[in-house]
Amino acid sequence: EIVLTQSPGTLALSPGERATLSCRASQSVRSDCLAWYQQKPGQAPRLLIYGASIRATGIPDRFSGSGSGTDFTLTISRLEPEDFAVYYCRQYGSSPRTFGQGTKLEIK
Amino acid sequence: QVQLLQSGAEVKKPGASVKVSCKASGYSFTNYGISWVRQAPGQGLEWMGWISAYNGNTNYVQKFQGRVTMTTDTSTSTAYMELRSLRSDDTAVYYCAREGNDILTGYPIDYWGQGTLVTVSS
């Protein structure tokens, strides 16, 4: 089983700042099958990034993903008020599929 | 547009079973699979398993083996997840989500249902 470790657990930033979220895998993720999801309170998660770096339909270009192998990053270039939420990474290249434990992005 | 509409909240006693439904619309149901993901209160996301809507193949997380059954009804484009021998730590929101049709093919979860709260309490 691939264990995904996200850091930091909580990130406090102000609107307009840049956010960098990390997701590290315990072994290489096949074909960069790594996705990022955003979840707001009381809502289902929403797909932001798949294939490590491909933005899903309708996702603003301030969201970008990078990385390969075991180290992946989600970057939000300029935080908007609606971006404060919990972010999860997930690998879908092997079974069992696994999620990271999440990074909470909160307003400073 | 793709929609996954889940059944309503459930309250169950320990030892009972629950069956959650997930009706798909806006796409060809048998071209994809359905994953089930749960989220305990205040906790992260946990993948429970997957079913192919094309041929019914399943892949369950080992911790749920023997307690969970995932099925589909292609005539109504509906997926079901039954969890048996419920315990208090099964209290969670259960989500269905669209994924690929082959567990060996890397295809991300791209659409989610709205979630179904299952409460297990005596």
Side-chain angles (χ1 to χ4, degrees), chain A residues 30 33 35 37 39 42-47 49-51 57 88 90 92-101, chain B residues 35 37 39 43-47 59-61 95 99 102-115:
Chain A
R30 180 176 72 93
C33 290
Y37 297 87
Q39 187 179 35
Q43 296 184 16
R46 177 174 71 143
L47 176 65
I49 301 287
Y50 64 96
T57 303
Y88 295 95
R90 178 186 188 247
Y92 54 95
S94 63
S95 189
R97 310 300 202 223
T98 48
F99 288 95
Q101 82 279 17
Chain B
S35 274
V37 176
Q39 186 170 39
Q43 302 302 309
L45 301 168
E46 180 179 29
W47 187 69
N59 186 280
Y60 301 146
V61 171
Y95 293 101
E99 194 159 359
D102 181 346
I103 197 66
L104 298 178
T105 301
Y107 187 95
I109 284 177
D110 55 1
Y111 289 93
W112 298 71
Q114 83 278 17

